[in-house]
Amino acid sequence: MMRASLQNSSGRFPSRQHWRSSVWYRACASMCGAALALSTTGGCYSYVPVQAAAPAPGTEVALSVTDRGRIDLTRQMGSGVRRLQGRLMSSTDSTIMLSVSAVEYLDSPTPVRWAGETITVDRNVLVEVSERRLSRSRSWVAVGVVAVAAAVVSTVAIKGFGSNGGDTRPPGGGTDQE
C-alpha cells in the first residue's frame, strides 16, 4: 500500500534524487532527529518505592492514595484521584507537601497535567511513596531503537525504494539504432 502511493504517474518509483528532495525524506529525517534528541535528553525514568522515611526536598515523587485519600482530596483535586506526581517541597512524620505536576484519576487513562499547585497530603492516606529515577537499562534500549530507526531511514534515503533512477537503456550497454 505504501509502495503504490510512492509510484509516479508512469508506474515507476521516483528516482533517488527525487526521493531526497521529497517531503517524505524531510519528514523522516526530522522525526529521527527529534527522536534522537528526546532519547538523549529525556532518558527513561521509572518510579521506585522509597526505602527511607522521606526523600530529600526537590525530589520528583509519586504518591499513591487510599480510598480515604480519594475522599479527602476530592475538594482540592477532584474525585477519583489515584496517584499524584510532583516535586517534594517538604515532609514531616505526618504530612507531605507536594508541588503537583500531574494527577492520575481512576477514570482517565492518561495523567492530567497540573501547573505546580502546592498541596499538603496526610501520610496516613498514602499507600506508597515512590521516587522518580533514571532507568539505565530502559535508556539504553531507547537509544538502540533510535539508532536502528536512524539506520533504516538513512539506508532508504541513500538506496531509495528499489528504483534504479529511471535508467531506460537496454541490458548490455547497447543503444537502439534505427
Side-chain angles (χ1 to χ4, degrees), residues 98-109:
L98 185 71
S99 172
V100 181
S101 61
V103 178
E104 294 178 22
Y105 293 96
L106 293 174
D107 60 351
S108 177

Side-chain angles (χ1 to χ4, degrees), residues 6 26 29 45 93 95 128 135 142 155 162:
L6 292 175
R26 283 179 268 156
Y45 290 89
D93 291 341
T95 62
E128 181 178 68
S135 172
T155 300

Side-chain angles (χ1 to χ4, degrees), residues 99-133:
S99 172
V100 181
S101 61
V103 178
E104 294 178 22
Y105 293 96
L106 293 174
D107 60 351
S108 177
T110 57
V112 176
R113 296 287 167 210
W114 282 56
E117 292 86 352
T118 303
I119 65 161
T120 301
V121 182
D122 289 330
R123 281 185 180 267
N124 60 358
V125 300
L126 299 178
V127 175
E128 181 178 68
V129 177
S130 302
E131 179 180 3
R132 184 176 182 222
R133 290 196 185 155

Side-chain angles (χ1 to χ4, degrees), residues 68-83:
R68 176 68 187 163
R70 280 187 253 298
I71 294 167
D72 289 354
L73 293 170
T74 298
R75 202 176 105 241
Q76 293 176 319
M77 322 264 339
S79 64
V81 173
R82 180 178 52 195
R83 186 165 125 158

